[in-house]
Amino acid sequence: MQSFILKDSMAQNKSIHGQWSSRWTFILAAAGSAVGLGNIWKFPYIAGENGGGAFVLFYLLCVIMIGMPILIAEIMLGRRGRQNPINTFAYLAQQSKQHRAWRWLGVSCVTAGFLVLTYYSVIAGWALDYTVKSAMSSFTHASSSAISQLFTALLANAPMLLFWHTVFMLAVIVVVGYGVQKGLERAVCWLFPLMGLILLILVGYAMNSGAFEQGIAFLFNPDFSKLTPNSMLIALGHACFTLSIGLGGMMAYGAYLPKKTSIIQAAGIIALLDTIIALVAGLAIFPIVFANDLAVNSGPGLIFQTLPIAFGAMPYGSFFATLFFIMLVFAAFTSAISITEPAVAWLMEKYHMHRFHAVWLITGIAWFVGIGTVLSFNYWENVKLFGLTFFGLLDYLTANIMLPLNAALIAIFSGWCLRRQIIHEELKTPVTWLIRAWQFATRYLVPTAVGIVMLNFLGII
Ligand code: PHE
């Protein structure tokens, strides 16, 4: 009976959700999911907090050794399952004669994605607020303390944060509500290339800002004494976060991928684009930070507190600032829609809900939980658990704990449990050593590396 239900729903899903119209729209959508606040807001500030060079190197290592194989695995599982991550694990476990408990890995992925959405929308709201501030020339000729004050005032203003959080969630509802082709595709095809263009203009400015070499040195000269077990865990977590793996987003997008597309090639392009954009964002940001004697380790406020100082001082600064924050909103948006999709697909498939109803329900609950993040920066600023605010705890728990653990389990599932035949059918490539390398990575490399970083963090090794 169970088997009948799973297969039956699999056959139907193509018609429920639709499919990507081509390989390139999938690649754009998946790259749009990967490139987000993680690249432009989070990567620079955690690189700044964790000492630059060595952290960046370890992060790149994690992207190649752990991120890439899991990205391939997720897209593969998604396309084979053609359902939401929970049903996909249940279906594939059954096909491979494995225990039903694997569906809980799907539950863990969807839950992690949902939790990320709750705070992602709040931070995206900061970018929305800064887009308006930039357009109104709020930074022009302002002193650094006045600009810093603008950021502090925004964080203290809970109704304002709530307003922007609500605006962002409403935009997500509209796009995800229209489904794969009408909503998601149309949005990313426009937003992603535009974002690349704006970023390049900013790097052009940074190159002429006078501190480009210092920026490069900070990002690429490793000082291994600065690499602590905690920063290694953060680098690992961020490699998962930035590639949108370990929370079902890529699996959900893979479920709408046409059969012919080469998964290995697509994953390679996605990871490359994502890495280039993070590094380019760093190259746009750090030279400006150094040229203006700003603090590299100013945390989540880095781009909001420091960049506007540079924007305020440069010619046509309001224009560049507005472009920059529009870009950040775009980047966040194409990621947010992909975090919403797995839970929405699950409600549609499990309860036969209409897409719009499912989207309203998921984003409604996420919006409500997001209020906790809004309050973390003002009324609940001093309410802490393990030294972290509600937002800090959610971020740490999802990015640094749930994502790497999910990634390791996905590796174990696809490397050890999945039927060989499925792997060969899905990953078809003339370059056979690529499949062997992927198998080695999922079987041994990923579980061992995640295990070592986690045990090292816990002080056990
Ligand atoms: N990869 C996105 C970023 O870097 C965040 C994200 C995580 C998006 C998980 C979707 C799923 O900002």
Side-chain angles (χ1 to χ4, degrees), residues 5-6 22 40 43 180 202 248 268 275 297 300 384 396 424 444 458:
I5 293 169
L6 289 168
S22 77
I40 297 157
F43 172 71
V180 175
L202 275 167
T275 309
N297 59 352
K384 290 193 176 159
Y396 202 93
H424 285 277
Y444 306 103
L458 293 172

Side-chain angles (χ1 to χ4, degrees), residues 83-143:
Q83 303 171 75
N84 69 77
I86 302 174
N87 288 16
T88 288
F89 276 113
Y91 168 68
L92 293 177
Q94 182 195 54
Q95 290 275 298
S96 307
K97 303 203 169 35
Q98 299 294 325
H99 200 280
R100 283 195 62 209
W102 278 108
R103 69 190 290 279
W104 288 101
L105 178 52
V107 175
S108 174
C109 287
V110 175
T111 310
F114 172 80
L115 291 176
V116 169
L117 177 66
T118 68
Y119 70 80
Y120 206 81
S121 160
V122 178
I123 311 290
W126 300 357
L128 275 172
D129 185 85
Y130 267 60
T131 308
V132 176
K133 279 194 172 64
S134 312
M136 291 183 348
S137 303
S138 307
F139 315 129
T140 316
H141 305 308
S143 67

Side-chain angles (χ1 to χ4, degrees), residues 54 167 318:
V167 170
S318 302

Side-chain angles (χ1 to χ4, degrees), residues 33-39 116 120 241-244 247 335 338-339:
S33 160
V35 177
L37 292 172
N39 304 60
V116 169
Y120 206 81
F241 185 86
T242 192
L243 291 178
S244 309
L247 25 60
S335 298
S338 79
I339 330 178

Side-chain angles (χ1 to χ4, degrees), residues 28-44 59 116 120 123-124 127 168 192 195 199 238 240-244 250 270 273-275 277-279 281-282 285 303-304 324 326-339:
L28 266 184
S33 160
V35 177
L37 292 172
N39 304 60
I40 297 157
W41 161 73
K42 198 172 180 191
F43 172 71
Y59 154 79
V116 169
Y120 206 81
I123 311 290
F168 189 81
F192 196 80
M195 192 185 74
L199 201 53
H238 189 65
C240 298
F241 185 86
T242 192
L243 291 178
S244 309
M250 287 298 176
I270 295 162
L273 272 176
D274 184 76
T275 309
I277 293 199
L279 295 177
I285 288 163
I303 60 166
F304 296 96
F324 178 81
I326 290 180
M327 174 192 80
L328 195 60
V329 172
F330 283 178
F333 191 67
T334 50
S335 298
I337 54 184
S338 79
I339 330 178

Side-chain angles (χ1 to χ4, degrees), residues 37 43 47 64 67 81 205 207 221 223 251 270 278 281 334 347 403 458:
L37 292 172
F43 172 71
I64 297 168
Y205 170 79
M207 281 176 105
N221 278 1
D223 171 1
M251 224 184 269
I270 295 162
T334 50
L347 280 183
L403 265 53
L458 293 172

